[in-house]
Amino acid sequence: MNITERFLNYTKFDTQSAEDSQTMPSTAKQLVFAEYLKKELEHEGLSNVELDDKGYLYATLKSNMKGSDYKSSQPVPTIGFISHYDTSPDCSGADIKPQIVRNYDGSDILLSEGITSSPQRFPELLNHIGEDLIVTDGHTLLGADDKAGIAEIVEAMCWLRAHPEVKHGDIRIAFNPDEEIGMGAHHFDVEKFGCDWAYTMDGGDVGELEFENFNAASAKIYIKGVSVHPGYAKGKMVNACLLAAEFVAMLPAEETPEQTEGYQGFYHLTGMQANVESAKLNYIIRDHDRERFEDRKRTVQKCADQMNETYGEGTVTCEVNDQYYNMKEKIDPQMHVIDLVLHAMQDCGVAPKVKPIRGGTDGAQLSFRGLPCPNIFAGGVNFHGPYEFVSIQSMQKAVEVIVRICELTAGYNS
């Protein structure tokens, strides 16, 4: 099986996570795919394959080094590679119909009748002229976020197993649910994983390397109204729909995802349910700077307080919960973890693109739990929507980088 076949097999599984679920994983269908992966890893000859009751899958490719292979008395570090198998709630992940566009020529891609992916709208396509692109039919996401990462990790382990001349230490891999809803690392067993450091294969286009990410929080705003027959409502009705609109207007209109870039943070309204009697607003809050992040959380609470002053205490209730923090403060003291990737990319002919993540990965949370875990490209582009695509050549490059990292970690240079 090659990496294309492996990835296409993975897209057959609907693994969409669900933000409002109280179960772990958030959807039972994720476990169906996890069981498939478990059997695949066992079939491919990996050791210590274990799937726990929360959907976390761990395995080991054991060291192939013998006494004469060691160049120093220092033990070879145990490193890990991690990807998540859930797909975003933002777009359907059911009945995905991937298509392969061979030798892409830079023109518009007809996904299905009336649906076109155009480089005028998505100029990233032009970076992949001459490559083979896997696209959707325009009705679902593709799932390269992050099944491309899983395919790359598995493919790299299979390649290393088949090439014993390339020496490596113990390599741990892990696949987890619910990253897309910020829960992917919550039940990750760092102690069981047993790595000196690890990498998430969850980045975007070729060359991306990320060890700065947003500080992140979620906010839920609950609004109580008073429902009265509209013919007799004067002085009595409190319309929760209108209060919800008022709350939204209190936050800076220019500080939303569609108005910001780079290191700029934002407030993002991700959902709204409202009628006259009650309303609920779901926000995510993001900022790279920790103090500005704390200010944003305080701003949301102040808006709720101001509305309660106007409409009565208890009208607006605000729940803010931190999700993850900027991993940079944990990676900076251990920059050898980054230097290793830069070396591997250069050896593989990949130009590194070091940039901050306008989002987060499981690696951010894991870094704060004692496992330094920057993020490496998986090759997908336009995640979370029907215009998502991945280049087969990009996935192959990711496999090469993983292999080279493992080789360099063992102290070998080709």
Side-chain angles (χ1 to χ4, degrees):
M1 183 184 298
N2 61 37
I3 192 166
T4 304
E5 294 167 335
R6 201 179 298 278
F7 173 71
L8 292 176
N9 278 345
Y10 295 167
T11 65
K12 296 174 184 177
F13 293 85
D14 178 8
T15 57
Q16 189 179 52
S17 48
E19 189 170 13
D20 291 332
S21 171
Q22 301 302 311
T23 64
M24 184 66 202
S26 63
T27 54
K29 57 191 175 182
Q30 292 183 69
L31 287 175
V32 176
F33 183 50
E35 290 283 0
Y36 173 88
L37 281 176
K38 179 176 183 289
K39 292 177 182 176
E40 181 176 4
L41 296 180
E42 291 170 339
H43 175 75
E44 296 292 0
L46 273 75
S47 304
N48 309 119
V49 181
E50 179 183 351
L51 176 63
D52 69 20
D53 61 348
K54 293 182 171 60
Y56 290 75
L57 179 60
Y58 307 94
T60 305
L61 181 66
K62 289 194 173 295
S63 172
N64 64 359
M65 297 177 68
K66 299 178 181 179
S68 60
D69 295 323
Y70 291 91
K71 290 189 173 181
S72 75
S73 59
Q74 297 298 317
V76 172
T78 298
I79 62 171
F81 295 91
I82 303 167
S83 288
H84 65 91
Y85 54 77
D86 67 312
T87 60
S88 171
D90 294 344
C91 183
S92 173
D95 195 25
I96 295 171
K97 295 182 173 64
Q99 308 173 77
I100 300 179
V101 179
R102 299 289 183 185
N103 192 22
Y104 175 60
D105 62 5
S107 62
D108 289 358
I109 300 172
L110 182 64
L111 302 180
S112 60
E113 185 176 354
I115 304 176
T116 300
S117 184
S118 169
Q120 290 186 331
R121 185 176 181 188
F122 303 109
E124 300 88 352
L125 284 163
L126 298 177
N127 296 329
H128 298 279
I129 290 176
E131 298 177 12
D132 303 315
L133 308 185
I134 304 177
V135 300
T136 76
D137 68 349
H139 296 286
T140 68
L141 47 68
L142 179 63
D145 181 13
D146 192 21
K147 289 170 183 168
I150 296 174
E152 291 153 7
I153 292 170
V154 175
E155 190 74 11
M157 296 305 103
C158 292
W159 191 94
L160 285 168
R161 183 206 61 210
H163 291 79
E165 72 277 9
V166 177
K167 301 302 179 182
H168 59 82
D170 284 345
I171 304 166
R172 292 280 280 159
I173 66 174
F175 305 134
N176 60 269
D178 289 340
E179 189 271 352
E180 296 292 0
I181 58 172
M183 298 290 290
H186 282 208
H187 298 281
F188 192 104
D189 194 330
V190 171
E191 184 176 354
K192 177 191 293 183
F193 198 46
C195 290
D196 293 277
W197 68 84
Y199 302 97
T200 50
M201 300 298 299
D202 192 21
D205 217 341
V206 171
E208 288 187 7
L209 171 60
E210 301 154 328
F211 60 96
E212 295 183 70
N213 61 278
F214 276 139
N215 296 290
S218 65
K220 297 185 185 300
I221 313 301
Y222 300 93
I223 301 173
K224 294 181 180 179
V226 177
S227 181
V228 179
H229 188 290
Y232 309 94
K234 185 173 183 180
K236 301 173 185 176
M237 179 184 287
V238 178
N239 191 329
C241 297
L242 296 179
L243 296 192
E246 183 176 337
F247 185 95
V248 171
M250 293 174 75
L251 293 172
E254 70 279 6
E255 296 181 19
T256 61
E258 58 268 39
Q259 300 288 334
T260 54
E261 61 184 353
Y263 284 94
Q264 297 172 322
F266 56 72
Y267 307 90
H268 180 31
L269 179 62
T270 62
M272 176 188 298
Q273 302 89 42
N275 55 37
V276 173
E277 192 170 21
S278 65
K280 177 184 175 184
L281 305 175
N282 293 327
Y283 277 93
I284 60 173
I285 302 167
R286 301 289 188 264
D287 210 296
H288 278 91
D289 182 85
R290 186 65 174 266
E291 187 50 45
R292 287 198 298 268
F293 172 65
E294 298 297 332
D295 284 342
R296 289 185 184 281
K297 293 191 292 181
R298 286 190 286 267
T299 295
V300 170
Q301 185 61 58
K302 285 178 183 177
C303 290
D305 293 343
Q306 289 175 20
M307 292 193 70
N308 283 329
E309 289 178 9
T310 303
Y311 298 103
E313 192 63 35
T315 301
V316 180
T317 303
C318 180
E319 295 179 1
V320 179
N321 293 294
D322 287 358
Q323 295 173 308
Y324 51 82
Y325 303 109
N326 191 343
M327 75 172 90
K328 185 177 188 296
E329 63 183 86
K330 297 298 181 182
I331 300 295
D332 276 349
Q334 303 193 61
M335 284 300 290
H336 64 280
V337 175
I338 301 300
D339 293 339
L340 191 67
V341 183
L342 294 174
H343 190 168
M345 285 187 180
Q346 289 163 356
D347 288 351
C348 295
V350 174
K353 303 172 186 174
V354 180
K355 66 174 191 175
I357 311 171
R358 284 185 59 79
T361 70
D362 291 327
Q365 296 182 52
L366 294 173
S367 294
F368 278 87
R369 292 175 56 195
L371 180 66
C373 198
N375 191 42
I376 301 175
F377 73 91
V381 183
N382 293 338
F383 293 156
H384 296 192
Y387 299 99
E388 182 184 5
F389 70 90
V390 66
S391 159
I392 294 173
Q393 286 78 8
S394 295
M395 290 196 293
Q396 291 168 336
K397 275 298 179 186
V399 172
E400 292 177 28
V401 170
I402 293 170
V403 168
R404 188 61 178 147
I405 289 171
C406 296
E407 188 179 13
L408 288 171
T409 303
Y412 279 74
N413 296 290
S414 58

